[in-house]
Amino acid sequence: MAKKTRGFDYFDQFVKQAEHCVMISEILAQHSHNWDEKDNLPEVLKQAHEIEHAADELNHQIYQAAAKEFVTPIEREDILEIAHSLDNVVDSIEEVLRDYYMYDACVMAEGTVEFTELINKACVALKEAMVEFQNFRRSKDLRDKVMAVNALEEEGDRLYLDVVRGLHTRYERNEEAMRIMVWSRIFRGMENCLDAIEHVADSLATVVVRNS
């Protein structure tokens, strides 16, 4: 089985990285559900940054191990790509929370809760795929789990079109130009989160093909 290596356990580390994706996506979704508690945003940002910092450390450990070990369970380039892509997921979610704060998004736009819940669902699906990836040479379920992530990303594409169009049709543009601009950027950031999640899933699929 792919997981059984004598050296550094890359697959277990990938799962830990995916768990950090889930944790920070839960913070994003919870804050969106509790939007009226704006005074808590600095504390939310602090929690998110702590997760991001821990995720960076996991990524660094993988890079260090890959640099030292002569034999790796999959190609070194694939290991680094997956690790970097997982780290990007955490970074992109933290960036959405930072945008909430930087742009002082006082009034929540329609579709925000739905979008953040979708990001959380995609992160959970990614973690499930990553757990299955540990035994990718024998797994019968990995393909379905990767496709589940892809389906959530496609749902996010449709939602992005709807919410941004809603911004431009719901508000009087002369009076609400700043709100339209801010939320267009935030929703774009949310779409980037889903793109980053899908990229990890696609990387897993690539590894499977290369090793089949």
Side-chain angles (χ1 to χ4, degrees):
M1 296 171 67
K3 185 181 177 182
K4 292 182 179 178
T5 61
R6 293 182 179 178
F8 187 84
D9 194 335
Y10 296 96
F11 297 98
D12 184 64
Q13 198 83 339
F14 291 152
V15 172
K16 290 178 181 177
Q17 283 188 292
E19 288 172 348
H20 282 69
C21 295
V22 173
M23 286 190 287
I24 198 167
S25 69
E26 287 175 347
I27 287 177
L28 175 64
Q30 287 170 5
H31 178 70
S32 299
H33 273 285
N34 301 315
W35 189 263
D36 291 337
E37 300 177 12
K38 299 180 183 65
D39 292 342
N40 290 341
L41 185 53
E43 179 60 28
V44 170
L45 283 173
K46 181 181 177 182
Q47 293 172 7
H49 186 68
E50 288 172 353
I51 293 172
E52 188 273 337
H53 181 72
D56 279 346
E57 179 59 29
L58 291 171
N59 190 44
H60 182 63
Q61 290 171 10
I62 291 173
Y63 272 68
Q64 281 188 316
K68 293 177 181 178
E69 291 195 339
F70 183 72
V71 178
T72 54
I74 57 177
E75 292 294 330
R76 203 178 311 271
E77 292 79 6
D78 292 330
I79 289 172
L80 299 181
E81 170 64 22
I82 293 170
H84 178 67
S85 298
L86 283 163
D87 194 53
N88 278 346
V89 173
V90 175
D91 289 344
S92 63
I93 295 173
E94 185 191 23
E95 186 172 345
V96 172
L97 286 164
R98 287 166 59 88
D99 283 348
Y100 282 172
Y101 180 78
M102 287 190 300
Y103 295 110
D104 193 25
C106 296
V107 179
M108 183 174 66
E110 187 173 330
T112 301
V113 171
E114 185 180 359
F115 221 143
T116 58
E117 286 179 345
L118 189 61
I119 291 169
N120 179 235
K121 287 179 183 177
C123 284
V124 171
L126 179 63
K127 179 192 169 184
E128 291 175 355
M130 198 59 66
V131 170
E132 195 67 26
F133 183 61
Q134 298 178 86
N135 301 311
F136 71 90
R137 289 190 176 92
R138 299 183 181 182
S139 175
K140 297 180 181 179
D141 299 325
L142 180 58
R143 180 177 179 275
D144 289 341
K145 293 184 181 298
V146 168
M147 289 179 65
V149 176
N150 296 148
L152 288 166
E153 192 279 334
E154 290 178 5
E155 185 178 344
D157 284 344
R158 292 191 294 270
L159 180 58
Y160 176 67
L161 289 174
D162 290 342
V163 294
V164 173
R165 176 173 172 76
L167 290 174
H168 288 270
T169 57
R170 189 175 301 112
Y171 301 121
E172 292 294 333
R173 297 188 185 183
N174 291 336
E175 298 177 3
E176 301 287 354
M178 183 60 71
R179 183 182 299 182
I180 293 170
M181 183 190 73
V182 166
W183 277 101
S184 292
R185 179 183 176 91
I186 291 173
F187 284 138
R188 178 58 182 166
M190 291 182 185
E191 188 194 29
N192 287 341
C193 294
L194 289 168
D195 288 343
I197 295 166
E198 184 183 43
H199 183 74
V200 180
D202 289 344
S203 296
L204 303 187
T206 299
V207 170
V208 173
V209 171
R210 286 178 180 171
N211 290 272
S212 61

